[in-house]
Amino acid sequence: MPQPHRPTRPARPPRPQRARRGGAPDRRRGDDRPRWGVRLAAGLAVAVLGSGAIGHAVMTGLDTGIERVDPFKDMKNRPQAGHGLNFLLVGTDGRDKITPEDKRAYRLGGAPCHCTDTVMLVHLSADRQRASVVSLPRDSYAELPEHRDESSGKQHGPHPVKLNAAYAEGGPQLTVRTVESMTRVKIDHYLEVDFTSFMKTVDAMGGVEICTAKALRDQNTGLDLLPGSHRLSGGQALQYVRSRHVDGAADLGRMQRQQKFVAALIKQATGGGVLLNPVKFKEVSSTLLGSVRADRGFGSEQMLALGQALRDFTPASSEFASVPIGNPSYPVKGIGSTVKWDDPKAAKLFEALRLDRPLAPAAPGRQPAGRPQQQPAVPVDVPPQRIRVQVENGTRIDGLGGRVDAALRATGFDTTRAPGNGASRDVKRTVIAYDPRWDRSARTVSTALPGSELRAVAGQGRTVLVIAGADYRKVVPVRPEEPNQGQYGVVTGDQVICGK
């Protein structure tokens, strides 16, 4: 039986904030807090997906802002190449170049470190119809191969570390070697970005829409979002993707929010006019590429070719996963607590990447091509399957109660299947009567019945009563905010964007 829910404030629009300017990014440094690689994935989507629609003229000159690295130099015994294209995306910090104003506004205090905070694999399928993004936890237990320390010049033998330390000891090359050793996935391209570029890129796009079914607050980052939809500026988006003290989910919750943000950014890029406006596209691309470090084989020509192949890309074309975890607190002497992967499950995940297979299970009930698409489901805090609903007909319209009961049941609610007649038959506006202890359940029902009136009734119990009024038109489909993620913890982009 669901537990009583604590009331929260109603949603209100976010306070507008002006776009802020950051200093020149430090391309060499990172920090152990924010996860900047997610923003790199998002920025890559902006650049890659739009290039085909814009053409060579717009892309001309963008290569000049990319700092080149050689992460594949003298590498031997590499994994066999599979199908498709694999990018290693790493995120660094650069907060030492952030303006004092932005540091205060977005709580970016602390010293940067020479390490990566995010490591992600992005696989583009051979047919360019799918992108699979796999997050590798920064604290993953890793065993570095023999190498020379980039800072001290000292030669090191193989030894265990947290994954983000590979960059500190051997830069991009050791990071690539370590990830290839752990995943047996051959890396085709390496890209590295910092969060200064992320903030500017989001602002250049006009912000990104995020929706949440519950309040999100984190005192460490300053995040403060009430339930509802919000258009986030670059700084606000930075708070959103950094926050891990929102609930008990910690880093897992943060990764899920980062997945939502990347999907929302793809939606903004593909559907918000950015890619069809040459001036806007070049502004966004220049902002991103101004702080990117990449291998010598990745440039505007590759972006253009990919963009032409991906011109029909949508949020549903992307899928997001995290490496299956066996032990989230695996102790290692001299290192501390690390994240130990579930090796058998992780091996299957990376095998799927090598074989160019989708990670997400086939979506049930997906509309066949050529048929009208159903209205996207709106995310809600409480899964409708957990909510018991009794429907009453508050009008003299024959059969209205049965239609409302059936429509609510079709979107997942646990209805009684026995609608009755209300005490009054002249109800103009649909009423949702609920016990205050189950207010979150009531708000989920009200989301499915937009325009309805919420009415608290002490002592009513867990069953939510819906009194259908003359204003009833339809039930809006709803879905749990955290969808079923299958065996690899996978979600597709269309599952996590705002459903309206």
Side-chain angles (χ1 to χ4, degrees):
M1 177 179 294
Q3 297 301 311
H5 306 308
R6 183 163 49 87
T8 59
R9 291 181 290 166
R12 68 167 183 261
R15 293 183 294 273
Q17 294 193 17
R18 64 182 179 87
R20 300 178 183 271
R21 297 182 178 178
D26 175 1
R27 303 182 181 100
R28 298 286 302 176
R29 302 196 172 194
D31 178 63
D32 62 353
R33 282 182 260 180
R35 296 179 181 265
W36 316 125
V38 170
R39 275 74 79 192
L40 175 55
L44 176 65
V46 173
V48 169
L49 301 182
S51 54
I54 304 302
H56 287 272
V58 173
M59 302 302 294
T60 301
L62 292 184
D63 281 2
T64 59
I66 304 176
E67 181 181 343
R68 296 298 179 180
V69 294
D70 190 0
F72 309 119
K73 182 180 180 181
D74 299 328
M75 286 184 62
K76 301 176 182 178
N77 302 318
R78 301 186 66 192
Q80 183 178 355
H83 302 287
L85 202 59
N86 299 311
F87 294 81
L88 182 63
L89 311 178
V90 304
T92 57
D93 186 330
R95 72 174 63 199
D96 54 334
K97 300 297 183 180
I98 294 297
T99 65
E101 181 185 20
D102 280 347
K103 283 186 177 180
R104 288 191 299 269
Y106 304 118
R107 305 191 185 183
L108 297 171
C113 73
H114 184 60
C115 59
T116 55
D117 183 73
T118 297
V119 181
M120 301 177 71
L121 273 176
V122 174
H123 172 80
L124 296 177
S125 62
D127 62 7
R128 302 301 186 256
Q129 298 297 306
R130 182 183 69 259
S132 305
V133 182
V134 180
S135 298
L136 312 184
R138 63 181 181 179
D139 292 335
S140 296
Y141 173 84
E143 295 185 6
L144 297 186
E146 182 179 353
H147 65 279
R148 184 177 300 277
D149 192 297
E150 192 175 69
S151 301
S152 66
K154 182 179 178 181
Q155 188 70 23
H156 290 292
H159 62 277
V161 295
K162 294 182 179 181
L163 178 57
N164 68 339
Y167 187 92
E169 292 194 28
Q173 186 185 58
L174 186 58
T175 301
V176 170
R177 290 178 63 195
T178 303
V179 170
E180 286 193 345
S181 174
M182 296 172 72
T183 65
R184 304 311 302 164
V185 173
K186 185 176 182 180
I187 306 302
D188 299 298
H189 292 293
Y190 172 91
L191 296 102
E192 175 186 319
V193 75
D194 64 44
F195 69 82
T196 307
S197 174
F198 164 69
M199 294 170 65
K200 292 181 178 179
T201 300
V202 172
D203 284 332
M205 293 182 66
V208 173
E209 184 184 23
I210 289 293
C211 54
T212 175
K214 57 187 175 184
L216 300 177
R217 297 185 182 89
D218 187 338
Q219 293 184 352
N220 289 355
T221 65
L223 179 70
D224 186 4
L225 297 180
L226 290 169
S229 297
H230 309 268
R231 181 161 291 276
L232 305 184
S233 67
Q236 292 170 319
L238 187 63
Q239 293 172 318
Y240 180 81
V241 296
R242 285 184 59 210
S243 294
R244 67 184 184 93
H245 299 287
V246 171
D247 48 37
D251 280 341
L252 176 60
R254 173 161 60 177
M255 284 192 293
Q256 290 173 339
R257 284 185 290 278
Q258 290 167 351
Q259 292 168 354
K260 292 179 183 179
F261 184 84
V262 175
L265 192 56
I266 292 174
K267 179 184 177 183
Q268 173 75 3
T270 57
V274 172
L275 305 183
L276 300 179
N277 183 328
V279 175
K280 193 70 169 178
F281 174 76
K282 189 162 188 177
E283 177 189 357
V284 172
S285 298
S286 298
T287 299
L288 170 72
L289 298 179
S291 63
V292 163
R293 283 163 39 104
D295 64 273
R296 300 182 187 280
F298 184 80
S300 60
E301 290 300 317
Q302 287 71 34
M303 292 166 61
L304 181 59
L306 287 172
Q308 290 171 336
L310 298 172
R311 58 185 178 272
D312 296 325
F313 212 74
T314 68
S317 307
S318 58
E319 53 184 13
F320 303 88
S322 300
V323 177
I325 304 302
N327 185 348
S329 302
Y330 181 68
V332 179
K333 185 177 181 179
I335 298 175
S337 179
T338 67
V339 175
K340 191 75 167 61
W341 295 357
D342 183 321
D343 290 332
K345 291 183 179 180
K348 290 182 179 179
L349 171 68
F350 297 121
E351 180 183 29
L353 288 187
R354 289 193 297 272
L355 297 178
D356 200 23
R357 294 174 178 167
L359 304 180
R366 189 166 295 229
Q367 290 287 328
R371 291 191 184 178
Q373 292 295 310
Q374 294 181 347
Q375 179 178 353
V378 179
V380 290
D381 190 8
V382 181
Q385 293 82 1
R386 299 181 186 174
I387 303 174
R388 186 69 167 170
V389 178
Q390 171 65 50
V391 177
E392 290 184 356
N393 185 354
T395 75
R396 300 183 186 279
I397 304 172
D398 290 340
L400 179 61
R403 294 202 303 274
V404 175
D405 182 283
L408 288 170
R409 188 167 63 252
T411 198
F413 289 95
D414 179 21
T415 67
T416 64
R417 300 176 184 242
N421 290 324
S424 171
R425 306 300 299 276
D426 297 312
V427 176
K428 303 257 190 281
R429 181 183 178 191
T430 299
V431 173
I432 298 173
Y434 67 98
D435 191 307
R437 294 177 298 168
W438 281 275
D439 65 307
R440 289 169 54 221
S441 293
R443 287 200 303 275
T444 293
V445 178
S446 70
T447 300
L449 293 167
S452 56
E453 174 190 345
L454 282 168
R455 186 178 296 172
V457 179
Q460 178 172 296
R462 66 180 291 257
T463 298
V464 177
L465 175 63
V466 172
I467 306 173
D471 66 336
Y472 171 78
R473 294 295 178 269
K474 66 177 181 178
V475 167
V476 173
V478 297
R479 60 171 171 79
E481 187 165 35
E482 306 303 339
N484 177 26
Q485 299 183 334
Q487 65 172 324
Y488 299 132
V490 181
V491 294
T492 54
D494 59 326
Q495 289 180 298
V496 293
I497 59 175
C498 297
K500 58 181 181 178

